[in-house]
Every structure is written in structure tokens, then in C-alpha cells.
Amino acid sequence: MTDPAVPDRTDSRYRSPILARPGAVDASDDSADAGVPHHYGDPFGEQRAADSGFVVVDRSHRDVLTIGGGERLTWLEGFVSQHVAEIGDGGGGETLVLDANGRIEHHAVLADVDATVVVDTEPGRGESLLQFLTKMVFWADASPAAADLAVLTLAGAGLPTTLTSPDGAEVDLPTGDYASVALPGGGIARRMPWPQAGSVDLVVPRPALTAWFAAAVDAGARPAGSWAFEALRAAGTTPPRGRLGVDTDEKTIPHEIPTWIGGVAERGAVHLDKGCYRGQETVSRVHNLGRSPRVLVRLQLDGSSGDDLPAVGAEVRAGGRPVGRVGTVVQHHEDGPVALALLKRAVPMDSALEIGGVDAAVDPETAPQDGGSQAGREAIRRLRGQA
């Protein structure tokens, strides 16, 4: 079988060549993952395969940029939420770009390899991120650019330590969260803490996408779709890993997604000791004086309604009142239907919830632990002479 021509990623109707594989089913047009395989005919089997073996997931709809130049990291440090200046060759991390009010505009995963930062972000967001980065260059020795690279993810308990590249070279997969190595023929391999601990992203030249996918299958990986990837992320990460544009809306601030708070060592995207970036005042104020108005939690959904599950953005209600919004909704092979949702913190976490006629309850493992008091509030109390 001849592989179809690799489509232009700038086309909004992107369709991955991996969809030509037998059994591959595209996601619906309104899905954030349209254009890549949703599953290959057995979505639950694909999820189970990650429990004992490993899977390869086509995520080539993600947008990828590169940043070259001798000042690329110190320049980037000036306006993102993570400490990135000292990442070092072969390192990486996650970061956010915020607006002036501290609301999240971009989430990006980084890797610095061979004097180039590789940046991947959510589908359709690369162009606006590149425009922002380009406007911030001024006189710095930094050169952001769109990259003809595509993302594949390897995940599973049986992930090997090496992988044979399409040209026959043996690649030692990196060890340690966000550790990255160059791949023969271009691109990088980057170790990731999600959707399962120890996953690996292969960020490969787009013309070599099908060859790298086949190399992973030859190594024992089972093809799995975005359904399996999202099920592993939504049901298997605690606190849950949020996804920009799916689990967030235009009002979301960093503290509403707890896993994004922390330095690289904490697998976060917002270092709380870092200042002097746009939106930092909101981050500091929420950390020191209060709690975020909402928090991302995992919901267990009533499965008696069959496949008629809530849509992304659906309203969550408690006692007839709106109390949040739904993000990711997915069927998990063991846990059944689960969802991620941004809920108001004032809502008791044991409340009976309802989403468009579907009953729901907060997974207690993801209920926020708000014990203790913030340093800023304690300082104000002392100034007022309060005990």
C-alpha cells in the first residue's frame, strides 16, 4: 500500500496519513482531535494494551515550533510562567503564556536539544503562539519559527528502553521526566510524565511520520487512538492533567488546574518563585491571599444512559444551579464514563451533580485539599492584630 501524500499542517482540515491504516476511525469533526485516529476498532482493547504492553498514538495534529539562537532560553524566561533559562541541553518542561489578567492563553511542552528549543502545543494554536513569540523577539538572539514536525506518543507499562529508527539506527530512549535526545534523521524523543508515567513523545519530521509509526509497531506497540490517550489522561492522572481549550475556557487561571502549578521538578508549568512575566500578579495573589474560584476535578458519570454522554462545555448543575463546566468526557475500559470538569470551589465535593440529564459525582481522589492557610492571609491577620 502506498502512503498518501503528507498533507499541509496549515490546512484547517488536516487529515493524518495514519488514518489510512486498516481499522483507523477518525474523530468527529467537532472534536479537538479530528484529523487523527480516534480508535482502530477496539478502543477498550487499546486502553488495556497500555496496562501490560505499550501503544503508539498519532498526535500529529498538534502544532510544533522551534526556537533557535544563543539567547533562546534567557529570552523565553522573560515572559513565560516556568523557569526555563537553565533547562540545559537535553532538558525540557512545560510552561504557560498568560494574558495581563493572568488568564491562560497558551500551554506548551518544551525540549532543548542541540541548541534548539522544540515547542509543541494544542492543535490550531501554533500560529497565534508563533505570532506572540515573534513580537517578543526585539533585539534578542532568538528565532521562533514554524516546524515541519509531528508528534507521536508511546505509552504503557511495557515501554522498551530502546527503539529502532526507520533507517535501522538503535535509539536509546531518554530517562527522567522531560529528558530529550535527538533522533537520527531529525526530531527528538522526549520523556513525559503523562498520560502515563514514563511515556515518550517522538517529535519527528512530518514526511517521516508513517515510517516512525511503523517502526513503533514493529517494536511491539499496538496502534491506539486519541480515545485511548484521553482515557489514560483523564482517568489515570491524579490530580487530573488538564488540556487547554478542552478542560479550560477563556476565564481559566493557572491555579484552577492544580497539576500546572510547580516547577519542572514538580512536573508543573508555573514556578511560584518566578516573577516578572505577564499575568504573574494574578498567580501571586491567588497563591498568597486566596484560592482559585474553580478547580479541575474528575467526575464519575452514570453509565446507564449508554453512549449519550455530555459534550465538552456542557453545564454542570447542583441543586438546579450551574456550578461548573465539563471538559474531557471519555469512556474508560475499567472506570466507565468519566469526565473532567471545572467546578466552583464553594460547591461541596460530595454534592449530587447533574449534566444534561446525566448524574455525576466528584471522584474523591481529585477533590481539592484546601487545608491550612495562605501566608498572605496570615500576614494580614497579624497586621490587624487578629489571633
Side-chain angles (χ1 to χ4, degrees), residues 6-387:
V6 177
D8 184 353
R9 182 60 188 93
T10 60
D11 184 354
S12 61
R13 297 181 62 83
Y14 172 74
R15 181 176 171 83
S16 170
I18 306 301
L19 283 166
R21 293 188 68 90
V25 177
D26 197 354
S28 60
D29 288 342
D30 60 352
S31 167
D33 295 315
V36 295
H38 187 45
H39 61 82
Y40 295 84
D42 184 12
F44 290 159
E46 294 163 25
Q47 294 175 39
R48 286 191 291 268
D51 289 342
S52 56
F54 74 108
V55 298
V56 55
V57 182
D58 176 14
R59 301 172 69 216
S60 60
H61 56 328
R62 285 180 66 81
D63 290 334
V64 185
L65 313 174
T66 57
I67 305 172
E71 296 176 328
R72 63 194 180 281
L73 290 173
T74 54
W75 163 76
L76 197 60
E77 174 86 6
F79 50 85
V80 298
S81 61
Q82 185 61 274
H83 273 311
V84 298
E86 298 180 1
I87 281 179
D89 186 48
E94 300 179 49
T95 194
L96 305 177
V97 174
L98 310 180
D99 70 12
N101 295 312
R103 295 169 177 169
I104 303 169
E105 291 189 340
H106 297 285
H107 170 261
V109 188
L110 315 175
D112 190 61
V113 179
D114 293 342
T116 300
V117 178
V118 177
V119 181
D120 63 284
T121 190
E122 289 289 342
R125 293 179 178 267
E127 183 176 354
S128 60
L129 177 57
L130 178 59
Q131 290 175 354
F132 171 75
L133 294 175
T134 301
K135 290 177 182 177
M136 298 299 293
V137 170
F138 301 110
W139 299 279
D141 181 14
S143 52
D148 196 23
L149 297 170
V151 181
L152 298 172
T153 295
L154 309 177
L159 195 64
T161 59
T162 63
L163 183 68
T164 302
S165 71
D167 65 4
E170 196 76 4
V171 178
D172 291 325
L173 298 178
T175 58
D177 291 336
Y178 308 111
S180 304
V181 296
L183 292 173
I188 63 165
R190 178 185 60 215
R191 188 70 66 170
M192 289 293 295
W194 54 273
Q196 288 183 314
S199 299
V200 172
D201 286 342
L202 304 176
V203 188
V204 302
R206 195 166 289 277
L209 174 65
T210 54
W212 273 104
F213 193 95
V217 173
D218 290 344
R222 176 170 177 170
S226 59
W227 181 338
F229 184 95
E230 292 295 87
L232 294 173
R233 177 180 65 84
T237 58
T238 302
R241 283 271 170 182
R243 180 174 177 185
L244 188 67
V246 177
D247 301 311
T248 67
D249 58 19
E250 71 282 355
K251 300 181 294 183
T252 305
I253 60 175
H255 277 84
E256 295 180 341
I257 315 294
T259 53
W260 283 349
I261 303 300
V264 172
E266 291 78 41
R267 307 176 189 89
V270 181
H271 199 298
L272 293 175
D273 291 337
K274 183 179 187 294
C276 300
Y277 60 92
R278 191 175 64 175
Q280 184 266 337
E281 294 84 358
T282 297
V283 172
S284 180
R285 183 169 61 250
V286 172
H287 176 63
N288 288 301
L289 296 179
R291 300 181 177 93
S292 60
R294 303 177 296 176
V295 65
L296 188 71
V297 298
R298 183 164 54 241
L299 304 180
Q300 299 290 343
L301 306 181
D302 178 11
S304 62
S305 59
D307 294 331
D308 188 17
L309 297 177
V312 173
E315 191 174 71
V316 182
R317 302 181 74 87
R321 297 180 299 107
V323 295
R325 72 174 294 278
V326 168
T328 301
V329 182
V330 67
Q331 289 271 8
H332 187 265
H333 73 102
E334 289 183 338
D335 297 343
V338 299
L340 302 184
L342 279 172
L343 291 188
K344 294 180 179 178
R345 281 188 182 264
V347 177
M349 290 294 148
D350 59 354
S351 297
L353 305 175
E354 180 266 332
I355 311 163
V358 177
D359 292 333
V362 175
D363 182 339
E365 289 188 352
T366 67
Q369 302 299 314
D370 287 335
S373 58
Q374 288 82 4
R377 285 197 180 277
E378 286 302 301
I380 290 173
R381 288 171 62 84
R382 287 194 298 270
L383 284 171
R384 293 174 176 172
Q386 297 172 337

